[in-house]
Amino acid sequence: NMVKVVEDIFGIAINPFTEKAQVVRRYTISNANHLSVSVIQLGATIQSISCADAYHNVEDVVLGFNDVAGYEKYRHKHFGCMLGRVADRVANAEFIMDRRRVHLTKNLDDKHQIDGGHIGFDRIIWDLDTIRPDGVTLKHVSANGHEGYPGELTVLLHYTMDDDNRFYMRIEARADQTTPVNITNHCYFNLAGQRAGRKGILEHRLVIAADNTIETNDESMPTGRFSVVNNTVYDMRVPAFIGDRLRQFENKTVSGFDVCYAIDKDFDANVVHFVGRFLHPESGRFMEIHSNQPGMRFCTANDFPNDSRDEEPIMGKDCARYYQYSGFSVQLEKFPDTMNNLDFPTAFIMPSELYFHETIYTFGVQESWKCCATPEE
């Protein structure tokens, strides 16, 4: 095994529970094939993923910052961090469980909860549990009643890598009371390189293996029904260029993708599905995602500063300027508001049960002269 792990100090952040300054360490996992992933304790954030293109140029393909200040300033955009206890939306910040109504904190329009509440897993400084031969395990114990959630929840997050350029994210959680759990990571990618901007993103070619999206109402809350992707901008079952698709959002209420795809309506934690393939033909870089999670929220950084309106860019790593459509984000997850939609796969775990999330990101290259052939999935 040629995987190695190097630890360094990334910066200092305020621990939201103790309100004291605390060191934030970075763990860089790398293999023999030029794949390198850096993770910081703040938000258990994926701070960078570097990989080679078809011409052996190594580039960082994840948007983010070189210091804690950047992550703090743009906290609400969730660059690379973990989201939990329950990612995505909870309508009216409440749900029924064990015949009682559970009230959560409200951090979306003073009405709903989103991404775990005021102090979600993105703001926590995760503990180092173990440095493994092939990666790291981070840990967090979420107190009973935190942001309204019942039970003490113990989370282990395993980030590991192999020499076949597969990067694994495995999340295990146990609770001492019945409670909902839906933990995910929210990274912005640009396979042309994190500095390549909108031009790089528009060149991407995508496959997303989903027949349906989660139907939502005017408040972006799920209706409990599924929308079929046939003959819509959301149909990605055959390779499509993001650029072609984003043009179809012009003059619409939504300015780009911000949708949860239903990859698998019948969730089985033991089954890992092909979710999607993201290719940048010019560089040959691709990323394939496999996951045991039923859904994937896919967004195209629609709410980033708009340079056509002269809005100030987000200043990222190595003087990168992030504007609208400078990256795409993926979060593998249970469906949004699943506790209030009984037909959706459940997010509840009982004290005897293990929550287990596995997502595998595979990085590779496809020579540019083969880019026109559709790869067999």
Side-chain angles (χ1 to χ4, degrees), residues 329-350:
S329 67
V330 293
Q331 54 187 68
L332 282 300
E333 60 180 21
K334 300 274 176 71
F335 300 151
D337 197 27
T338 181
M339 292 96 82
N340 292 309
N341 289 282
L342 300 179
D343 292 343
F344 288 179
T346 183
F348 292 109
I349 59 165
M350 291 186 294

Side-chain angles (χ1 to χ4, degrees), residues 45-307:
T45 296
I46 297 173
Q47 189 254 338
S48 77
I49 298 180
S50 295
C51 53
D53 69 3
Y55 311 97
H56 309 296
N57 302 312
V58 175
E59 285 267 6
D60 186 350
V61 297
V62 164
L63 278 59
F65 306 96
N66 282 329
D67 53 28
V68 166
Y71 287 102
E72 297 280 8
K73 181 173 180 184
Y74 296 105
R75 179 187 286 146
H76 56 290
K77 296 267 193 274
H78 291 150
F79 280 88
C81 59
M82 298 306 291
L83 304 178
R85 287 186 189 194
V86 172
D88 220 312
R89 292 157 175 79
V90 182
N92 301 311
E94 62 178 35
F95 55 89
I96 306 276
M97 187 187 82
D98 296 343
R99 297 189 187 158
R100 66 189 175 95
R101 191 176 293 274
V102 176
H103 294 279
L104 305 174
T105 56
K106 297 174 181 178
N107 66 328
L108 178 62
D109 305 329
D110 286 326
K111 183 177 178 187
H112 310 290
Q113 194 187 78
I114 189 165
D115 295 330
H118 302 290
I119 301 179
F121 286 179
D122 57 301
R123 291 193 54 191
I124 283 156
I125 301 173
W126 289 62
D127 298 320
L128 174 69
D129 184 73
T130 338
I131 295 188
R132 309 162 69 94
D134 58 351
V136 294
T137 298
L138 302 177
K139 181 177 180 178
H140 176 63
V141 179
S142 180
N144 177 23
H146 179 65
E147 299 293 336
Y149 289 101
E152 183 181 82
L153 185 76
T154 302
V155 185
L156 288 175
L157 168 58
H158 312 285
Y159 283 130
T160 58
M161 184 186 293
D162 65 21
D163 274 327
D164 294 321
N165 279 17
R166 287 186 292 237
F167 171 55
Y168 297 83
M169 178 175 77
R170 293 189 184 100
I171 310 164
E172 295 174 72
R174 285 192 188 277
D176 60 5
Q177 290 181 43
T178 302
T179 196
V181 185
N182 182 15
I183 306 171
T184 187
N185 176 272
H186 182 268
C187 251
Y188 294 100
F189 294 95
N190 188 332
L191 297 172
Q194 59 94 19
R195 288 176 300 191
R198 177 171 50 206
K199 179 184 178 296
I201 286 295
L202 297 182
E203 295 167 347
H204 280 60
R205 197 167 163 180
L206 266 57
V207 174
I208 297 174
D211 300 331
N212 299 276
T213 60
I214 304 297
E215 183 186 275
T216 54
N217 62 21
D218 298 341
E219 287 193 84
S220 301
M221 293 297 154
T223 61
R225 292 187 295 272
F226 298 93
S227 296
V228 180
V229 297
N230 299 19
N231 304 317
T232 71
V233 69
Y234 297 108
D235 190 347
M236 293 282 188
R237 293 171 297 188
V238 174
F241 284 103
I242 299 191
D244 293 344
R245 292 302 169 87
L246 282 175
R247 274 195 281 282
Q248 298 178 46
F249 284 97
E250 281 168 18
N251 309 318
K252 297 272 198 306
T253 45
V254 197
S255 51
F257 287 89
D258 182 359
V259 67
C260 185
Y261 280 97
I263 305 297
D264 172 28
K265 293 183 196 171
D266 315 301
F267 169 68
D268 178 346
N270 300 311
V271 181
V272 171
H273 296 269
F274 169 75
V275 174
R277 179 181 168 97
F278 305 82
L279 167 71
H280 181 245
E282 280 74 1
S283 65
R285 264 193 208 92
F286 70 79
M287 175 175 74
E288 272 182 10
I289 298 181
H290 291 79
S291 181
N292 73 345
Q293 294 297 291
M296 178 181 78
R297 181 169 284 281
F298 175 70
C299 304
T300 44
N302 314 322
D303 59 348
F304 277 28
N306 189 328
D307 52 345

